[in-house]
Amino acid sequence: MDNIAGRKSSLNWAVNLSVIFLVLLWIIPTVGLLVSSFRDRDQISASGWWLAPFSAEQAYRARTSTEATPEGDIFVVTGNVFEESEATGTLSAFGVRSIAPGEFTVGTVADLGDGESLSIAENGDYEFRTPEEPGRRGQRIYFTAETPPEFTLENYETVLGAGGMAQAFINTLTVTIPATIIPILIAAFAAYALAWMQFPMRGLLIALVVGLLVVPLQLALVPLLRLHTEWGIGRSFLGVWMAHTGFGLPLAIYLLRNYMVGLPRDIIESAKVDGATDFQVFTKIVLPLSFPALASFAIFQFLWTWNDLLVAKVFLPDGDQAMVMTRKIADDLLGSRGGDWGILASAAFVSIAVPLLVFFTMQRYLVRGLLAGSVK
Amino acid sequence: MAVQEDTQGASFIQGQAVIWLIGGLLLVAAIALLLPDVRGMLGNSPILQGVLTIVLGVGGCIGYFWASNIVLDKVIFPAKGANAGKNINRANMVRPWLFIFPAFAALGLYLAYPVVGSFIRSLYDRSGDTFIGFGNYAWLMQDSEFQQAVFNNILWALVVPAGSTFFGLVAAQLTDRLSWGNIAKSLIFMPMAISFVGASLIWKFVYANDADIGIVNAFREWVFGADSVDPLQVSFWNNFFLMFILIWIQTGFAMVILSAALRGIPEETVEAAIVDGASPLQVFFKIKVPQIMGTIVVVWTTITILVLKVFDIVYTMTGGNFGTQILPSYMFEFMFRDDGRATAVAFVIMLIVTPVMVWNIIQARKEMR
């Protein structure tokens, strides 16, 4: 319709290209993290993740064996550098000094002075000739090898095992599920009253909910922690569930009320004419009809509690047995394994896998909820 | 009539069965709680605690609403006897309050009370015993880190909503008539599901100070042959690099809402403009944007409120160093150390949010009429 004027094709090209550009810009960071989480530490620092499908040139070092076979008046040491180091792949260059690790190309015989010589083949077989019997330490060899791309689950194993992400995953789940389920019913009753019952101050209460929607969580931290301590709850899972319930209620009431107000008036009024009480109208008619709104809120609250760092930091005790994933990453892994990109990437992916799954399977409800919450 | 009574009877029995079931579960849970062994087990197992909390929470809710309605209708104001009609009316006056009581009690305790509680606490010193008036606020005013945080927060509150709304609008318009538009939208929307901490880690890779890890530095090396730098330590501009993370997350939100608004524009207005010879750009800026201005404002304010609360990104990326401090992360420096100052910072955030809150309430009241 925009292209009635007949500029269809050129404009279409421009639109397609800009959308491709935008989408790439938006997904590249996440793809980078995903790819990195499957690469081992050495590969990550050797080449960018965008080169992951190609082999990378990496530097290694090794020592020649100490067992020499005398051959006339010289000693010959043979072996394979790949067996004496962690390296794999094909060798591209070698050297004997750390400042010039790629001094000699593969296949050449390097003259090391003092009558010593060294040659290394592409597959790593070396031959070291020396006039003196080698001592207890062999000759140092530096070499670079083209390592083929290699993907591994090692990072995930480390992070879930020794990294403690498995425990943190369970903790996050423990925080999230009650914190998602409990507010729904409380909010649904209130939303029904605000949508379909007549009583004084109703408008004021709705305005209050809209106002509380905006109150920064930061305000609640100190007074509530003190309240929880006075009640004997302290910093515990119970405290987090209660806090998340309280903080989730304004959005829940607002979303559900907006949805319930839009339900057809005839159904509710005819039920009342037939003698149904408000309690029956709510449980038998409004609640089942509001399923889409209930689902949207449940998804919001789930994502919000799963992804939350602040509330968990304040209302949960310190220490591994109650550490949720966001906190594990922000406070523990970033500090203790700050340079270990593979570990960080896999930890991040463990923590965002469930929200992404929820997002892609239930996007419909999420969008509907957003629209109900913002546009009227 | 007979049929109706029948179904009512059946559903009544069904309802009763559910109530008995929940009541039984609650009873079992309550008895179990009395046994010291069970309590000990619960103390060690958060998962069991969670299951119990769900049962008690949901069961308690249903039990409360059901029982309070029964008590109201059968005991306090029975719809029988001399005052039957009057009693029904009275019961219906009380019922809304029964419905909203749990929600508003929780709201009052967890959101309304803290506004007052935090303000009062902010008037006391670190120990909480000595009243020092606005001493904490006075201290904040002269602290250079606080000034930095306020300045940066203002930048955040201007740049992030503008950026997210702009990219969101562009994405919404461009994907509107594309055959693969829904896939594109879904991918741009995806960061919404990712935690701020996860997003920060994702961008730590992008910004990494190593041309073999960070794509930004790789690009710099490839195009300009420049040495790698740490973008997070480039004074002043590092704030914008952090803001872009939040723009990246929020663009999807803006796009979804603006896209719905664009679809709601009456076709005739656009057709008329095209017939009159308007260019696509003119159609967009002069016909479409003015018609969705209301939605743009809603998106803008929603993101502004969010921006003032987000602490995770700065906390994870820089810890507030290199001149990137903002109020929420600044507040956390005092959390558990000096509650007086922490609450004072929180109250400053509240003051900044208040105009938006008032505007929101006014809008909501307008819509209800």
Side-chain angles (χ1 to χ4, degrees):
Chain A
M1 232 254 332
D2 278 4
N3 23 52
I4 285 176
R7 275 164 295 190
K8 184 171 172 161
S9 60
S10 67
L11 198 68
N12 245 351
W13 268 104
V15 167
N16 268 304
L17 281 179
S18 14
V19 175
I20 289 173
F21 174 75
L22 207 59
V23 167
L24 280 181
L25 187 68
W26 247 250
I27 61 167
I28 277 179
T30 318
V31 172
L33 189 82
L34 181 62
V35 172
S36 302
S37 73
F38 291 110
R39 305 179 79 204
D40 79 33
R41 195 191 171 124
D42 297 326
Q43 291 221 324
I44 288 178
S45 43
S47 68
W49 60 264
W50 50 94
L51 297 174
F54 312 105
S55 49
E57 191 161 88
Q58 258 175 279
Y60 299 96
R61 50 186 197 174
R63 265 181 202 288
T64 58
S65 154
T66 51
E67 284 165 31
T69 14
E71 207 172 275
D73 51 357
I74 56 166
F75 295 89
V76 178
V77 185
T78 53
N80 188 302
V81 286
F82 289 126
E83 281 161 19
E84 328 240 333
S85 67
E86 300 166 340
T88 50
T90 50
L91 198 129
S92 47
F94 67 95
V96 290
R97 293 178 299 159
S98 62
I99 50 161
E103 209 175 354
F104 311 107
T105 47
V106 175
T108 55
V109 178
D111 184 6
L112 308 180
D114 296 334
E116 294 183 337
S117 69
L118 176 69
S119 66
I120 310 185
E122 219 172 44
N123 65 1
D125 287 339
Y126 64 84
E127 193 180 76
F128 177 52
R129 291 167 171 271
T130 171
E132 287 164 38
E133 183 160 9
R136 280 192 299 137
R137 284 150 62 93
Q139 168 69 40
R140 185 48 105 193
I141 301 175
Y142 296 90
F143 62 96
T144 51
E146 287 279 342
T147 315
E150 190 182 83
F151 296 99
T152 153
L153 288 173
E154 215 172 287
N155 294 324
Y156 286 92
E157 281 161 19
T158 316
V159 130
L160 289 173
M165 276 303 266
Q167 176 66 43
F169 187 93
I170 292 171
N171 289 340
T172 301
L173 207 61
T174 312
V175 168
T176 308
I177 291 177
T180 305
I181 294 176
I182 294 172
I184 294 180
L185 206 61
I186 302 180
F189 271 96
Y192 172 76
L194 293 176
W196 286 104
M197 291 165 107
Q198 295 297 329
F199 59 99
M201 296 210 300
R202 190 175 76 150
L204 200 71
L205 288 176
I206 297 171
L208 182 72
V209 171
V210 175
L212 291 180
L213 215 46
V214 180
V215 169
L217 279 189
Q218 274 81 4
L219 270 179
L221 304 180
V222 173
L224 283 184
L225 195 58
R226 211 173 66 187
L227 266 190
H228 280 182
T229 315
E230 276 169 17
W231 292 344
I233 299 170
R235 296 172 80 191
S236 65
F237 278 102
L238 184 59
V240 167
W241 295 324
M242 289 168 64
H244 273 313
T245 301
F247 300 152
L249 276 178
L251 182 69
I253 298 176
Y254 182 67
L255 269 185
L256 293 177
R257 192 201 89 94
N258 275 356
Y259 188 86
M260 286 176 185
V261 156
L263 292 177
R265 179 172 285 272
D266 326 355
I267 300 182
I268 290 160
E269 277 178 357
S270 56
K272 282 195 179 169
V273 168
D274 285 349
T277 64
D278 275 310
F279 189 72
Q280 285 168 328
V281 171
F282 174 72
T283 51
K284 303 235 166 77
I285 298 173
V286 174
L287 208 54
L289 284 181
S290 304
F291 176 76
L294 296 175
S296 324
F297 169 72
I299 294 166
F300 273 117
Q301 180 77 352
F302 176 83
L303 289 179
W304 153 248
T305 49
W306 187 279
N307 290 338
D308 158 79
L309 171 67
L310 186 62
V311 177
K313 243 174 110 65
V314 174
F315 289 97
L316 273 182
D318 301 320
D320 268 345
Q321 71 282 358
M323 207 177 245
V324 294
M325 285 190 289
T326 46
R327 189 155 181 219
K328 183 93 198 160
I329 293 172
D331 286 355
D332 186 10
L333 294 181
L334 269 176
S336 63
R337 292 172 183 265
D340 206 335
W341 293 102
I343 298 287
L344 289 177
S346 50
F349 243 89
V350 169
S351 84
I352 65 180
V354 174
L356 284 183
L357 195 73
V358 169
F359 173 82
F360 281 115
T361 49
M362 306 198 208
Q363 206 175 18
R364 205 156 46 97
Y365 291 110
L366 194 71
V367 170
R368 207 181 284 178
L370 276 183
L371 294 178
S374 312
V375 209
K376 279 288 304 184
Chain B
M1 201 58 204
V3 175
Q4 201 186 358
E5 251 165 39
D6 238 33
T7 52
Q8 262 186 1
S11 63
F12 182 68
I13 290 166
Q14 204 180 35
Q16 263 194 335
V18 172
I19 298 299
W20 278 111
L21 193 71
I22 290 163
L25 274 177
L26 285 179
L27 200 67
V28 171
I31 293 171
L33 268 182
L34 291 175
L35 304 170
D37 282 355
V38 177
R39 276 221 296 266
M41 228 165 70
L42 275 179
N44 295 328
S45 164
I47 299 176
L48 271 181
Q49 272 181 28
V51 173
L52 189 75
T53 309
I54 294 177
V55 171
L56 282 177
V58 175
C61 255
I62 297 175
Y64 160 82
F65 287 115
W66 181 78
S68 65
N69 271 280
I70 291 286
V71 169
L72 186 69
D73 289 332
K74 301 270 150 78
V75 182
I76 304 178
F77 299 120
K80 279 182 251 173
N83 293 330
K86 215 171 166 190
N87 273 354
I88 289 178
N89 282 341
R90 280 192 199 146
N92 283 341
M93 270 169 66
V94 176
R95 202 183 323 277
W97 301 99
L98 291 181
F99 272 53
I100 65 171
F101 170 72
F104 279 84
L107 280 181
L109 197 62
Y110 276 83
L111 285 166
Y113 154 71
V115 177
V116 183
S118 267
F119 178 66
I120 294 174
R121 183 63 186 83
S122 73
L123 302 178
Y124 286 82
D125 74 344
R126 186 177 159 181
S127 65
D129 301 327
T130 324
F131 180 81
I132 53 168
F134 288 96
N136 286 319
Y137 295 91
W139 184 87
L140 287 179
M141 289 304 161
Q142 57 78 44
D143 183 46
S144 64
E145 203 177 349
F146 176 77
Q147 294 160 4
Q148 172 98 64
V150 171
F151 175 74
N152 287 343
N153 239 150
I154 293 172
L155 271 186
W156 276 74
L158 292 175
V159 175
V160 175
S164 311
T165 314
F166 171 76
F167 281 116
L169 192 56
V170 170
Q173 168 66 20
L174 291 184
T175 53
D176 200 24
R177 282 163 209 283
L178 225 51
S179 53
W180 55 290
N182 278 337
I183 300 169
K185 269 190 206 159
S186 184
L187 290 173
I188 294 174
F189 193 32
M190 182 200 67
M192 272 286 283
I194 297 175
S195 63
F196 295 128
V197 173
S200 302
L201 216 56
I202 289 175
W203 284 85
K204 250 190 177 343
F205 268 80
V206 175
Y207 291 150
N209 183 11
D210 180 341
D212 280 329
I213 296 173
I215 202 163
V216 169
N217 274 311
F219 186 75
R220 272 168 51 88
E221 191 184 83
W222 181 55
V223 177
F224 308 110
D227 283 338
S228 77
V229 291
D230 188 349
L232 298 179
Q233 296 190 29
V234 182
S235 137
F236 185 66
W237 297 107
N238 51 7
N239 283 303
F240 292 88
F241 301 140
L242 294 182
M243 287 173 210
F244 191 75
I245 303 176
L246 196 52
I247 294 179
W248 179 73
I249 296 174
Q250 289 299 318
T251 293
F253 163 75
M255 177 194 68
V256 165
I257 290 175
L258 294 173
S259 158
L262 282 177
R263 296 222 163 139
I265 293 177
E267 293 270 318
E268 306 86 68
T269 56
V270 179
E271 270 167 32
I274 293 174
V275 170
D276 286 349
S279 73
L281 273 184
Q282 280 175 322
V283 169
F284 182 66
F285 283 110
K286 299 210 167 136
I287 307 294
K288 288 187 169 178
V289 169
Q291 291 195 69
I292 58 166
M293 212 51 199
T295 313
I296 292 179
V297 173
V298 169
V299 169
W300 193 293
T301 47
T302 310
I303 299 177
T304 309
I305 295 163
L306 180 94
V307 168
L308 294 170
K309 296 194 263 194
V310 171
F311 111 113
D312 321 39
I313 294 177
V314 168
Y315 178 81
T316 316
M317 295 295 278
T318 64
N321 295 313
F322 320 122
T324 57
Q325 192 67 283
I326 54 170
L327 287 173
S329 57
Y330 180 68
M331 182 215 168
F332 215 85
E333 288 197 350
F334 298 112
M335 192 73 209
F336 302 122
R337 289 186 194 95
D338 185 339
D339 284 352
R341 283 180 193 166
T343 45
V345 179
F347 204 74
V348 171
I349 303 177
M350 180 69 206
L351 287 181
I352 300 177
V353 175
T354 306
V356 185
M357 184 164 138
V358 171
W359 190 85
N360 262 6
I361 293 176
I362 294 172
Q363 289 303 309
R365 302 216 64 156
K366 252 191 222 158
E367 272 163 22
M368 274 189 308
R369 273 187 212 119

